[in-house]
């Protein structure tokens, strides 16, 4: 499995992410509208309903597995809200930090009782209907995870205007708000892989010049 990065056409400093596994390619990118997109390219099959499907599996030993595992935990475990390092810096006292952390935990716990959670999570399987169109005509992304692999199953709905298997995750007005945050966390974490790789290459180059 190979992870590649390409400059985004709309936002400076943002990378489109390409994860290749044999003849299959998973693309994750940020659109000009501020929304996140997942798409898969390569061979597919038809399911029992006659719809085209394509599966992308990420094994436990792959570098990106940990990030997709966090995505699954973020959604199924309702670990959506937390405190960033910047927010922590603005807390003057330990009590402020504790209060903010307790508030975030309570918001996460309340999410499990919401209808949006019940709509998204089905027996530990995440089923995301693309935000591009209403559910009955939308492409679908199913995510299942265990200790050995994370499996992403794309289902192409012929009534979805997207080309192929494309899934849209809106950052404003999503059907599954606030769980779109979990996908953005994944995207941002994968962006850091490119920066880390760039640093490694820089260090290697500097050593070779000595």
């Amino acid at each position: 499995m190979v992870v590649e990065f390409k400059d985004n056409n709309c936002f400076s400093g943002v990378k489109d992410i390409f994860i290749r596994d044999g003849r299959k390619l998973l693309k994750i990118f940020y659109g000009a509208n501020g929304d996140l997109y997942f798409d898969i390219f390569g061979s597919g099959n038809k399911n029992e309903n006659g719809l085209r499907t394509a599966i992308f599996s990420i094994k436990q030993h792959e570098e990106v597995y940990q990030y997709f595992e966090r995505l699954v935990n973020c959604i199924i475990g309702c670990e959506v809200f937390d405190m960033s390092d910047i927010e922590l810096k603005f807390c003057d006292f330990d009590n402020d930090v504790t209060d903010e952390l307790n508030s975030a935990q309570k918001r996460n716990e309340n999410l499990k009782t919401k209808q949006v959670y019940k709509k998204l999570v089905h027996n530990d399987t995440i089923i995301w209907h693309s935000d591009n169109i209403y559910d009955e005509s939308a492409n679908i992304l199913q995510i299942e995870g265990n200790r050995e692999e994370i499996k992403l199953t794309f289902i192409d709905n012929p009534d979805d205007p997207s080309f192929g298997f494309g899934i849209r995750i809106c950052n404003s007005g999503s059907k599954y708000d606030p769980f779109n945050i979990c996908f953005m966390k994944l995207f941002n974490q994968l962006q850091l892989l490119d920066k880390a790789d760039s640093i490694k290459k820089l260090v290697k180059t500097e050593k070779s010049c000595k």
Side-chain angles (χ1 to χ4, degrees):
M1 184 171 288
V2 179
V3 184
E4 300 171 345
F5 300 87
K6 182 181 178 181
D7 289 338
N8 185 276
N9 291 328
C10 303
F11 300 95
S12 177
V14 176
K15 302 287 187 177
D16 295 340
I17 302 164
F18 300 86
I19 305 176
R20 301 179 184 275
D21 186 16
R23 294 184 178 181
K24 290 189 176 181
L25 170 67
L26 175 66
K27 180 180 180 182
I28 307 173
F29 63 100
Y30 206 46
N33 53 13
D35 293 337
L36 194 64
Y37 291 84
F38 279 59
D39 207 350
I40 187 172
F41 303 89
S43 60
N45 298 297
K46 287 189 176 182
N47 64 13
E48 63 275 9
N49 297 317
L51 297 176
R52 290 196 311 133
T53 65
I55 297 175
F56 195 90
S57 295
I58 302 170
K59 304 297 183 182
Q60 193 272 339
H61 66 272
E62 301 291 350
E63 182 180 18
V64 297
Y65 174 88
Q66 60 179 314
Y67 303 107
F68 283 88
E69 183 182 40
R70 289 176 196 169
L71 170 67
V72 172
N73 292 338
C74 182
I75 295 175
I76 294 180
C78 285
E79 299 172 4
V80 180
F81 302 111
D82 54 22
M83 289 188 68
S84 66
D85 292 338
I86 294 176
E87 290 172 317
L88 286 171
K89 289 180 182 178
F90 278 92
C91 292
D92 295 328
F93 305 101
D94 290 341
N95 286 342
D96 293 338
V97 175
T98 301
D99 290 343
E100 290 296 329
L101 289 174
N102 288 338
S103 176
Q105 183 178 356
K106 186 174 181 180
R107 293 173 70 190
N108 285 330
E109 290 174 353
N110 288 338
L111 273 178
K112 283 194 174 183
T113 67
K114 302 295 185 181
Q115 189 61 36
V116 64
Y117 178 80
K118 297 175 183 178
K119 179 181 177 182
L120 181 59
V121 179
H122 305 264
N123 297 323
D124 291 335
T125 298
I126 299 161
I127 302 178
W128 184 286
H129 291 77
S130 176
D131 277 324
N132 204 42
I133 195 171
Y134 49 88
D135 286 0
E136 290 76 10
S137 297
N139 288 347
I140 299 172
L141 170 60
Q142 296 182 356
I143 306 175
E144 303 169 87
N146 55 50
R147 293 183 179 180
E148 296 181 357
E149 68 175 352
I150 304 292
K151 184 169 73 174
L152 285 70
T153 302
F154 292 79
I155 302 174
D156 177 27
N157 191 318
D159 295 326
D160 192 309
S162 303
F163 177 79
F165 295 95
I167 297 294
R168 180 180 181 182
I169 298 166
C170 285
N171 283 313
S172 177
S174 173
K175 305 171 188 176
Y176 303 102
D177 178 65
F179 290 98
N180 55 295
I181 294 173
C182 299
F183 288 91
M184 283 306 302
K185 286 182 178 180
L186 168 69
F187 183 71
N188 291 332
Q189 289 163 353
L190 291 174
Q191 294 286 303
L192 296 177
L193 277 180
D194 181 53
K195 295 180 180 179
D197 186 56
S198 297
I199 292 173
K200 288 179 182 177
K201 289 179 180 178
L202 178 61
V203 171
K204 185 176 180 180
T205 302
E206 288 178 344
K207 287 183 177 179
S208 65
C209 293
K210 291 181 179 179

